[in-house]
Amino acid sequence: MREHLAPEPRGRAGGHRAAEHPWRRELPAAWRTQVIVPIAFEIHCDAELAAQRVFGRDADGACCYYAHEWMLSEPCSDDDEEFYLRAAAGEAVTAWLLRDERWLVRRVVIGNDACGPGQVFYVLSETMPR
């Protein structure tokens, strides 16, 4: 069952066409012919929380692409004089609706040792992530 979602009122939302959004960037090539292509996007940002949520919709207005990301930062110093922010924890989730009504979900989890790219994994799901 495909979901029709209303945009969330919190944060700033903007509509974008598919040509303006990199929705295919993390989609494995083997799956590209199996996804429903979004034609419009709703992007909700919260700069104070360093978070973003994206809904991609097909021609009928049904959600066929979903993404969210958030990041927590903490102050660090190598010499106790200059401080900078480093990623302490975070998550990035991207999901594409497949033609067989399953979702291909890509999740990246960033833990306390955020110097690396984080752990990336793909799963198939019967429901859209939230």
Side-chain angles (χ1 to χ4, degrees):
M1 176 177 177
R2 296 182 56 197
E3 297 187 36
H4 292 267
L5 299 173
E8 295 185 355
R10 192 171 127 201
R12 200 180 91 212
H16 299 277
R17 292 188 318 265
E20 299 169 345
H21 190 278
W23 66 274
R24 288 184 202 159
R25 181 176 48 213
E26 305 298 340
L27 178 61
W31 293 92
R32 290 192 176 172
T33 61
Q34 298 177 49
V35 299
I36 296 173
V37 177
I39 61 168
F41 293 90
E42 298 166 16
I43 301 173
H44 305 268
C45 297
D46 190 327
E48 291 179 20
L49 298 176
Q52 177 176 303
R53 195 173 205 176
V54 179
F55 297 96
R57 301 193 182 277
D58 65 12
D60 296 327
C63 194
C64 62
Y65 171 86
Y66 172 82
H68 77 250
E69 60 184 39
W70 58 270
M71 185 67 60
L72 295 176
S73 301
E74 65 183 8
C76 292
S77 176
D78 295 331
D79 58 10
D80 290 331
E81 290 183 23
E82 286 190 45
F83 286 85
Y84 58 93
L85 290 177
R86 78 171 184 105
E91 177 184 65
V93 173
T94 308
W96 303 267
L97 182 63
L98 302 173
R99 296 190 186 284
D100 67 3
E101 300 283 321
R102 293 179 301 163
W103 287 84
L104 174 64
V105 181
R106 177 184 187 267
R107 185 176 305 269
V108 180
V109 178
I110 298 171
N112 289 337
D113 183 18
C115 295
Q119 295 177 324
V120 179
F121 58 94
Y122 288 85
V123 296
L124 290 171
S125 174
E126 296 296 322
T127 59
M128 182 181 85
R130 302 248 179 205

